[in-house]
Amino acid sequence: MQAVVVNNEPLMEGIYRLTLEGRHGGKAGQFYMLRCWDSFPLLSRPISIHDLSEDSITFLYRVHGGGTELLSKLLPGNSLTLEGPYGNGFPSPQGRTALVGGGMGIAPLLLAAKEMPEADVYLGYSGEAFAESSFRSIRSSGGLTIISGGTILDSLEPHRYDTIMTCGPVPMMEELARRCAGSGASLYVSVEKRMACGIGACNGCAVETPSGIKKACVDGPVFPVEEVNFHDLALL
Amino acid sequence: MQAVVVNNEPLMEGIYRLTLEGRHGGKAGQFYMLRCWDSFPLLSRPISIHDLSEDSITFLYRVHGGGTELLSKLLPGNSLTLEGPYGNGFPSPQGRTALVGGGMGIAPLLLAAKEMPEADVYLGYSGEAFAESSFRSIRSSGGLTIISGGTILDSLEPHRYDTIMTCGPVPMMEELARRCAGSGASLYVSVEKRMACGIGACNGCAVETPSGIKKACVDGPVFPVEEVNFHDLALL
Amino acid sequence: MTSLCCKVGTLNLRNPIIMASGTFAFGAPYAKLYPLDSLGGISTKGLTVEPRTGNRGTRLIETASGLMNSIGLENPGLSHFLQFELDRMCQYDTAIIVNLGGGSLEEYEKGASMLQQAAATRAAEGKRGIDMVELNISCPNVKQGGMQFGLHTEKAREAVRIVRRITDLPLMIKLSPNAYDLTGMAAMCEEEGADAISLVNTFLAMSVDLKSRRSSFQQTYAGLSGPAIKPIALRMVHQVCRSTSLPVVGMGGITTAQDVLEFIMVGASAVQIGTGNFMNPRTGASLAGEVTQLMKKERIESLEEIRGVI
Amino acid sequence: MTSLCCKVGTLNLRNPIIMASGTFAFGAPYAKLYPLDSLGGISTKGLTVEPRTGNRGTRLIETASGLMNSIGLENPGLSHFLQFELDRMCQYDTAIIVNLGGGSLEEYEKGASMLQQAAATRAAEGKRGIDMVELNISCPNVKQGGMQFGLHTEKAREAVRIVRRITDLPLMIKLSPNAYDLTGMAAMCEEEGADAISLVNTFLAMSVDLKSRRSSFQQTYAGLSGPAIKPIALRMVHQVCRSTSLPVVGMGGITTAQDVLEFIMVGASAVQIGTGNFMNPRTGASLAGEVTQLMKKERIESLEEIRGVI
Ligand SMILES: Cc1cc2nc3c(=O)[nH]c(=O)nc-3n(C[C@H](O)[C@H](O)[C@H](O)COP(=O)(O)OP(=O)(O)OC[C@H]3O[C@@H](n4cnc5c(N)ncnc54)[C@H](O)[C@@H]3O)c2cc1C
Ligand SMILES: Cc1cc2nc3c(=O)[nH]c(=O)nc-3n(C[C@H](O)[C@H](O)[C@H](O)COP(=O)(O)OP(=O)(O)OC[C@H]3O[C@@H](n4cnc5c(N)ncnc54)[C@H](O)[C@@H]3O)c2cc1C
Ligand SMILES: Cc1cc2nc3c(=O)[nH]c(=O)nc-3n(C[C@H](O)[C@H](O)[C@H](O)COP(=O)(O)O)c2cc1C
Ligand SMILES: Cc1cc2nc3c(=O)[nH]c(=O)nc-3n(C[C@H](O)[C@H](O)[C@H](O)COP(=O)(O)O)c2cc1C
Ligand code: FES
Ligand code: FES
């Protein structure tokens, strides 16, 4: 499917917010496969839904390598190809809920925060914060904690929550898992794996779980922490 | 060498005029190897110098495949890589001189017409004319013949010239060669061959001549007609 | 009327576009995107007698115009396939080719007899079944993945012979581009009574992770596919077509209608599309139409007209 | 201090960056762009006893991240080289590797003795000479281009043996990726007393011209090089490095500092850059520096530290 770029603004060095025209499906934690090139690079790039409206969809991404670099060159009016929404997305919140994002991992949490207005939101940035104003505008009456240049985990008391959902660097999520253990909170983790097809056809995005091999693209990217092997995740 | 785009204007469907900043070397009939991409496609593209000024260089090109398509997307302010000037260029005119261009082959003739103010210029287009206004402005007092949608060769009387230089489709140049034979005019032909290096290192641009194999990129692209095997040229 | 009909041995195909093993699962993921009836055929993910979990660690690395994979034959096993997947596949009006993997002669033998039996049972029940078996002796990604069969003609002969003895289903042998002697392999397939040959499987390749100073893949090597390999695959298909009278299904980096016709011109009876599905998941929906268009443009009336002209 | 010094057998190189045969002529075209003293070495265009005019028709086709060439060993002949080109090359302060092509044992023999003699004469005159001979038994582009030697180990053995008997110049054998048995080839080179191995030459490949319904190349097949083949070349260099104790010069699609270090990590003593020169003619001016930078970033002090770690 083709869509036209409304906006592709740099929020800070190497971080862009891309908004496309049209009504697109999806829920928080799901992703699209994006490409704005013909045959090079080969694969499309999985990017989470950052925000959705009646007539637009927004992605938040970091320029990492060649593919995201090409995305960053898009101008308003250009068109690109997107396929999706793919993946399971975050589960419905059960009881008191926290959303915990680290770095680029905050991307899928904006839509999650919208879908779960009761959930507390914790955002951690190793450096300067970005896209935090979008979160402020939907949590103007509180429930938002932001830490720049430090760890967000120290601000969070897992036992205060029934459900915690997280997306961020593997070491951060692993530490969060340690802190949640025995706290009574159920933790859901959004994982990243290299993907070729995004639809369950290539077996490329295998995730090792106690109940066997699963696919990050269709069974995930969100998994209950019990299913996640952080050692396996660290090997992208 | 990097240069910044001043302008990249479509003159008609699929035909662009690209102007770059800076003082660049070269003479009529020479070419540059251009690229505005990293590694895909692999090779740079040979494009003739269309015009030169103190502080700019201009190319005229047709979108043919992937490489020229990427060129056509350049915007003012973008930068691209060029290496050159390469090739021998047109010889100094001897006596009464005509420049005969067909289709895209008119590209190198603008600078040639400037360098040889006495030369008569003949431009033939199979369809609508393009870039002809540039020629009109330097031949305002005559010496310019333009035919759109027909053959330019019928307007030309070879015996009236001592030197004829041509660039255009192979069948046109071959027909011109036939008409020049015995006319007394010396004919110089600008040829196109696939090029990998552009500098005489790969032997990819071989041209069969009676005096042995020559290289289009360093011994050419302009050859005396005696050296040219049109049958060989037709196989690009 | 431009016709895309073609045959691979006794198997009639609506068009020459078959989806390649390992890139199309059992069709279901793509059936959500477009009707699979537009396809010539589907080759299933490689199946083994027992389910396999596949390889650990990184399974995919992109290269310049190529894709390396080290899936390691992850699959649910033949029983699961025959019980749960095959009926669903039979709903698609397209040829069903079962890709049979294995690591030992015994496994190939067992797998082949499971397929033979299932086909017989289905036939008795009046159900559609398995249109062809594609014997994969060329998976480079598992120690016991058949690669050792794929390299040596005489080793491969044993596998082909045993499978041929067991099944009378149309049998296509999928060759490895890493084989020592590709045309020798093809001759062997003909001698052993196979019905067709497909090639190429992936090229054995390597990628290094600079930071860890190790191979990117736990199995050291992985298989390269995609447009990068097309020129080599095309040459191999040409060589094999000229050396055997068996029908050949060509593949390796095919993504466009032009690619399809090139493989037909060097002699392929049909083609398979693998990595192309990842570049555009709707390739199967449009490619046959694009081939027809290109044939019209080039004034080619049928595939026979150009098959093997080079 | 990060050091790029390295050795290929007895030959000391300033850095591991050697320009590959057929892509650098005899250096002169690039000497206009940058000082060649920054290079580890230059391998000349393949030379034969007699001048050759090369192949007719199309000689170059671009593919996805690859380049096909069918130059056909066009070269001015050894006498011309020794008389006119070698002196000029000797002005560059970099290792001079003469790539020796041929189509028959006699031709290899004659060529080797011309080189041996020239080296002796130059030594007597106190002149710099030929630092190494790279024996090309793997050109795929001419019927008599040595390709038939490059495929079969025992055929190759004859060529290596005859050249080794004639010259005591350092001798490197350039292997074909199309060889039936690559590690067997490497073992043969070692047995026959070669000093080093280089690989890969180009992959036999094909391109079709749809309009004319013919191969794009008059020789039907041509040789594929460039980034497309890198993953396969890297695997082959790894396999050969693990199977021989001879030093190996690796190549195939190298264009970046990362590529260089990958080849070193799989065991290469040095590398060659071919097609990369066409993507950026100044590659040779910057690559060694980029390798140094990358080594610093990755905290690698010397090439020995990482050579063959995988
Ligand atoms: C489900 C999912 C959702 C994602 N959502 C976002 C998002 O919202 N914002 C964002 O900035 N990034 C997101 N990523 C990561 C993003 O996909 C990668 O940064 C991107 O693919 C890198 O491509 P590249 O060409 O820039 O980098 P390169 O390193 O050049 O890519 C090389 C190859 O590795 C793959 N790759 C590299 N890093 C990753 C990664 N982290 N995950 C998966 N594949 C990778 C690429 O897809 C490509 O195939 C998400 C990843 C997944 C799996
Ligand atoms: C000396 C010289 C001067 C030229 N000057 C001009 C000019 O001023 N304006 C202009 O429009 N065109 C010019 N051309 C032709 C131009 O180089 C090709 O149109 C261009 O390379 C096509 O690239 P592509 O990627 O768009 O097409 P593709 O067909 O995708 O290219 C595929 C490959 O074939 C090569 N190729 C295709 N056509 C030609 C061709 N005609 N000549 C050489 N290589 C070709 C490409 O370089 C590339 O390597 C010139 C060619 C030469 C040799
Ligand atoms: C992710 C992936 C998985 C594959 N799995 C199998 C398999 O299970 N069995 C098989 O015979 N081939 C398998 N292949 C090989 C393809 O079927 C095909 O032979 C190869 O990819 C070349 O074609 P392509 O370049 O069009 O992808 C796989 C390829 C890929 C990319
Ligand atoms: C245009 C061209 C000409 C070549 N000529 C020769 C040659 O004369 N002798 C030789 O040994 N290799 C020759 N080669 C092969 C290269 O030296 C090198 O082995 C091959 O291109 C792979 O390296 P690359 O991918 O870096 O180009 C040639 C390659 C190209 C592209
Ligand atoms: S990305 Fe292909 S199965 Fe998940
Ligand atoms: S283009 Fe390389 S020699 Fe002319």
Side-chain angles (χ1 to χ4, degrees):
Chain A
M1 154 137 208
Q2 296 276 114
V4 172
V5 176
V6 179
N7 207 338
N8 189 26
E9 46 171 341
L11 299 188
M12 55 180 272
E13 174 79 32
I15 308 267
Y16 289 76
R17 182 163 53 200
L18 170 67
T19 302
L20 307 177
E21 260 176 40
R23 188 187 189 118
H24 299 271
K27 61 171 200 150
Q30 289 192 300
F31 64 96
Y32 277 81
M33 298 293 282
L34 303 189
R35 68 191 295 140
C36 62
W37 52 85
D38 181 23
S39 59
F40 191 92
L42 199 85
L43 300 175
S44 304
R45 299 301 191 244
I47 305 285
S48 305
I49 305 171
H50 180 53
D51 204 359
L52 268 182
S53 80
E54 292 284 291
D55 57 1
S56 72
I57 186 167
T58 301
F59 300 96
L60 184 71
Y61 63 94
R62 164 178 288 142
V63 175
H64 181 263
T68 46
E69 164 111 36
L70 287 172
L71 287 180
S72 76
K73 302 233 163 96
L74 284 167
L75 299 172
N78 289 169
S79 79
L80 85 175
T81 305
L82 74 172
E83 294 282 349
Y86 292 150
N88 58 357
F90 290 112
S92 313
Q94 304 291 331
R96 292 157 304 167
T97 300
L99 304 173
V100 184
M104 261 332 291
I106 67 158
L109 298 190
L110 181 65
L111 185 58
K114 283 188 172 174
E115 287 176 2
M116 309 172 205
E118 307 295 323
D120 289 342
V121 179
Y122 295 84
L123 308 177
Y125 299 88
S126 61
E128 216 183 308
F130 52 84
E132 83 289 5
S133 56
S134 311
F135 286 91
R136 287 196 204 282
S137 70
I138 58 162
R139 282 294 185 282
S140 48
S141 52
L144 177 63
T145 309
I146 296 178
I147 301 280
S148 301
T151 170
I152 187 69
L153 299 185
D154 292 341
S155 315
L156 174 79
E157 295 174 276
H159 65 266
R160 290 185 43 226
Y161 297 99
D162 300 302
T163 310
I164 300 178
M165 308 190 197
T166 185
C167 184
V170 173
M172 176 201 114
M173 298 199 296
E174 192 170 6
E175 175 60 22
L176 178 57
R178 252 190 301 270
R179 294 185 186 200
C180 285
S183 71
S186 311
L187 179 62
Y188 293 88
V189 168
S190 180
V191 311
E192 290 186 2
K193 280 282 173 183
R194 286 170 195 266
M195 295 181 172
C197 69
I199 56 175
C202 75
N203 297 85
C205 62
V207 177
E208 292 180 18
T209 81
S211 46
I213 302 289
K214 296 201 169 174
K215 297 184 171 84
C217 67
V218 289
D219 305 317
V222 181
F223 291 96
V225 71
E226 298 73 30
E227 301 232 308
V228 169
N229 173 341
F230 286 104
H231 178 75
D232 165 50
L233 277 192
L235 295 170
L236 191 63
Chain B
M1 156 138 207
Q2 296 277 115
V4 172
V5 175
V6 179
N7 208 338
N8 189 26
E9 47 172 343
L11 299 188
M12 56 180 271
E13 176 79 31
I15 308 267
Y16 290 77
R17 182 164 52 200
L18 171 67
T19 303
L20 308 176
E21 260 176 40
R23 188 186 190 117
H24 300 269
K27 62 171 200 150
Q30 288 192 300
F31 65 96
Y32 276 81
M33 297 292 283
L34 303 189
R35 69 192 293 140
C36 61
W37 52 84
D38 182 23
S39 58
F40 191 91
L42 199 86
L43 300 175
S44 303
R45 299 301 191 244
I47 305 285
S48 304
I49 305 171
H50 180 54
D51 204 359
L52 268 182
S53 80
E54 291 284 290
D55 56 2
S56 72
I57 185 166
T58 301
F59 300 96
L60 184 72
Y61 63 94
R62 164 178 288 143
V63 175
H64 180 264
T68 46
E69 163 111 37
L70 287 172
L71 287 180
S72 76
K73 302 235 163 95
L74 284 168
L75 299 172
N78 289 169
S79 79
L80 84 175
T81 305
L82 72 172
E83 296 281 349
Y86 293 150
N88 58 358
F90 290 112
S92 313
Q94 304 290 332
R96 293 157 303 163
T97 300
L99 304 173
V100 184
M104 261 331 294
I106 67 158
L109 298 189
L110 182 64
L111 186 58
K114 284 188 174 175
E115 287 177 2
M116 309 173 206
E118 307 295 324
D120 289 342
V121 180
Y122 295 84
L123 308 179
Y125 301 87
S126 60
E128 213 181 311
F130 50 84
E132 83 288 7
S133 55
S134 311
F135 286 91
R136 286 196 204 284
S137 71
I138 59 163
R139 282 293 185 282
S140 48
S141 50
L144 176 64
T145 311
I146 297 179
I147 302 279
S148 299
T151 169
I152 186 69
L153 297 186
D154 292 341
S155 314
L156 174 79
E157 296 174 274
H159 65 266
R160 291 186 40 228
Y161 297 100
D162 300 302
T163 311
I164 301 180
M165 309 190 198
T166 185
C167 183
V170 173
M172 176 200 113
M173 297 198 297
E174 194 170 2
E175 174 61 23
L176 178 56
R178 253 189 301 271
R179 296 186 185 199
C180 286
S183 72
S186 312
L187 179 62
Y188 293 87
V189 167
S190 180
V191 310
E192 291 187 1
K193 280 283 172 181
R194 287 170 194 265
M195 295 181 173
C197 69
I199 56 175
C202 75
N203 298 85
C205 63
V207 176
E208 292 180 18
T209 80
S211 46
I213 302 288
K214 296 200 172 177
K215 298 184 170 82
C217 67
V218 290
D219 304 317
V222 181
F223 291 95
V225 72
E226 298 73 31
E227 302 234 307
V228 169
N229 172 341
F230 286 104
H231 178 75
D232 165 51
L233 276 192
L235 295 169
L236 190 64
Chain C
M1 251 297 289
T2 318
S3 160
L4 289 189
C5 289
C6 57
K7 294 178 85 154
V8 178
T10 54
L11 180 62
N12 288 302
L13 302 178
R14 171 180 301 113
N15 64 52
I17 314 291
I18 301 169
M19 292 310 175
S21 178
T23 66
F24 216 71
F26 305 108
Y30 294 94
K32 293 182 192 150
L33 299 179
Y34 63 91
L36 303 189
D37 305 352
S38 58
L39 300 174
I42 299 173
S43 175
T44 67
K45 173 66 193 170
L47 289 157
T48 51
V49 173
E50 300 298 326
R52 296 207 190 191
T53 54
N55 290 337
R56 307 189 66 177
T58 302
R59 287 183 171 194
L60 300 168
I61 290 281
E62 251 183 295
T63 69
S65 298
L67 175 65
M68 292 177 70
N69 89 78
S70 179
I71 308 299
L73 273 189
E74 180 188 341
N75 81 88
L78 269 170
S79 306
H80 174 99
F81 168 76
L82 293 171
Q83 228 183 316
F84 301 107
E85 302 285 354
L86 184 52
D87 275 325
R88 180 159 43 168
M89 283 192 83
C90 286
Q91 294 166 18
Y92 316 134
D93 181 18
T94 187
I96 294 173
I97 302 174
V98 176
N99 185 280
L100 177 64
S104 64
L105 286 178
E106 296 69 45
E107 205 182 351
Y108 282 126
E109 183 171 19
K110 180 87 191 296
S113 65
M114 288 172 77
L115 292 176
Q116 175 68 12
Q117 214 162 50
T121 314
R122 295 181 73 91
E125 293 168 357
K127 280 197 204 156
R128 266 199 72 189
I130 296 163
D131 295 310
M132 185 174 250
V133 175
E134 182 175 48
L135 182 65
N136 175 8
I137 51 167
S138 46
C139 176
N141 288 329
V142 284
K143 290 232 172 57
Q144 295 298 319
M147 182 67 178
Q148 79 280 26
F149 290 101
L151 295 183
H152 304 278
T153 308
E154 292 312 311
K155 198 101 181 63
R157 186 188 299 276
E158 299 174 30
V160 175
R161 184 172 292 176
I162 215 160
V163 169
R164 177 72 298 176
R165 208 174 49 209
I166 282 169
T167 183
D168 52 16
L169 288 165
L171 177 63
M172 176 156 78
I173 315 298
K174 184 161 178 183
L175 302 186
S176 168
N178 310 302
Y180 286 97
D181 178 5
L182 204 53
T183 52
M185 278 283 179
M188 177 278 291
C189 294
E190 198 166 345
E191 287 155 20
E192 297 299 328
D195 300 296
I197 288 169
S198 60
L199 76 161
V200 299
N201 208 315
T202 53
F203 284 77
L204 211 55
M206 190 170 180
S207 159
V208 167
D209 182 61
L210 214 62
K211 296 237 174 292
S212 66
R213 304 187 184 182
R214 305 175 70 149
S215 169
S216 304
F217 296 100
Q218 295 205 349
Q219 310 288 317
T220 310
Y221 301 152
L224 182 68
S225 63
I229 65 167
K230 199 202 87 175
I232 315 178
L234 192 65
R235 180 267 294 178
M236 289 178 164
V237 170
H238 183 250
Q239 279 183 323
V240 167
C241 287
R242 302 203 4 158
S243 78
T244 180
S245 62
L246 291 181
V248 172
V249 174
M251 79 194 92
I254 297 177
T255 63
T256 64
Q258 158 106 21
D259 294 339
V260 173
L261 294 186
E262 290 182 13
F263 275 82
I264 304 284
M265 282 191 182
V266 305
S269 296
V271 300
Q272 293 188 20
I273 317 292
T275 305
N277 289 303
F278 306 149
M279 297 168 69
N280 174 6
R282 295 167 205 274
T283 299
S286 54
L287 194 53
E290 285 158 17
V291 170
T292 304
Q293 298 248 295
L294 183 56
M295 285 170 70
K296 281 191 184 139
K297 194 175 148 225
E298 300 292 341
R299 298 175 192 285
I300 300 165
E301 304 233 324
S302 73
L303 297 174
E304 281 76 61
E305 186 186 330
I306 56 164
R307 183 170 292 117
V309 291
I310 301 175
Chain D
M1 253 299 287
T2 318
S3 161
L4 289 188
C5 289
C6 58
K7 293 180 87 153
V8 177
T10 54
L11 179 61
N12 288 302
L13 302 178
R14 172 181 301 113
N15 63 52
I17 315 291
I18 301 168
M19 292 311 177
S21 178
T23 66
F24 216 70
F26 305 108
Y30 294 94
K32 292 182 192 150
L33 300 179
Y34 63 90
L36 304 188
D37 305 353
S38 58
L39 299 174
I42 298 171
S43 174
T44 66
K45 173 66 194 170
L47 289 157
T48 51
V49 172
E50 298 299 326
R52 296 207 190 190
T53 54
N55 290 337
R56 306 189 67 175
T58 302
R59 288 184 171 194
L60 299 169
I61 290 281
E62 253 183 295
T63 70
S65 299
L67 175 66
M68 290 177 70
N69 89 77
S70 179
I71 306 301
L73 274 188
E74 179 188 342
N75 81 89
L78 269 169
S79 306
H80 174 99
F81 168 76
L82 292 170
Q83 228 183 317
F84 300 107
E85 301 286 353
L86 184 53
D87 275 325
R88 181 161 42 169
M89 283 192 84
C90 286
Q91 293 165 20
Y92 316 135
D93 182 17
T94 188
I96 294 171
I97 302 174
V98 176
N99 185 280
L100 178 63
S104 65
L105 286 178
E106 297 66 46
E107 204 182 351
Y108 283 128
E109 182 172 18
K110 180 88 192 293
S113 65
M114 287 172 78
L115 292 176
Q116 175 68 13
Q117 212 162 51
T121 314
R122 295 181 73 91
E125 291 168 358
K127 280 197 205 156
R128 267 197 73 189
I130 297 163
D131 295 310
M132 186 174 249
V133 175
E134 182 176 48
L135 181 65
N136 176 9
I137 52 167
S138 47
C139 178
N141 289 329
V142 282
K143 290 233 171 59
Q144 295 298 320
M147 182 69 178
Q148 79 280 29
F149 289 102
L151 294 182
H152 304 276
T153 308
E154 293 314 310
K155 199 103 180 63
R157 186 187 299 278
E158 298 173 30
V160 175
R161 185 173 290 174
I162 214 160
V163 169
R164 177 74 295 177
R165 209 174 50 208
I166 281 168
T167 181
D168 53 14
L169 287 166
L171 177 62
M172 177 155 78
I173 315 299
K174 184 162 179 182
L175 302 186
S176 168
N178 310 304
Y180 288 96
D181 177 6
L182 204 53
T183 54
M185 278 283 180
M188 176 279 288
C189 293
E190 197 166 346
E191 287 155 19
E192 297 299 329
D195 300 296
I197 288 168
S198 59
L199 76 159
V200 298
N201 209 317
T202 52
F203 285 76
L204 211 55
M206 190 169 179
S207 160
V208 166
D209 182 60
L210 215 61
K211 296 238 173 293
S212 66
R213 305 187 185 183
R214 307 176 67 149
S215 168
S216 305
F217 296 100
Q218 296 205 347
Q219 309 287 316
T220 311
Y221 301 153
L224 181 68
S225 62
I229 66 167
K230 199 203 86 176
I232 316 179
L234 192 65
R235 181 266 296 178
M236 290 178 164
V237 170
H238 183 250
Q239 280 182 323
V240 167
C241 287
R242 302 205 3 160
S243 78
T244 180
S245 62
L246 289 182
V248 171
V249 174
M251 78 194 93
I254 296 177
T255 63
T256 65
Q258 158 106 20
D259 294 338
V260 173
L261 294 186
E262 290 183 11
F263 275 82
I264 303 285
M265 281 190 182
V266 305
S269 296
V271 300
Q272 292 189 18
I273 317 292
T275 306
N277 289 303
F278 306 149
M279 298 167 70
N280 174 6
R282 294 166 207 274
T283 299
S286 54
L287 193 54
E290 286 157 17
V291 170
T292 305
Q293 297 247 295
L294 184 57
M295 286 171 70
K296 281 192 182 138
K297 194 175 148 226
E298 300 292 340
R299 296 175 194 286
I300 300 166
E301 304 232 324
S302 73
L303 297 174
E304 282 76 60
E305 188 186 329
I306 56 165
R307 183 171 292 115
V309 291
I310 302 176

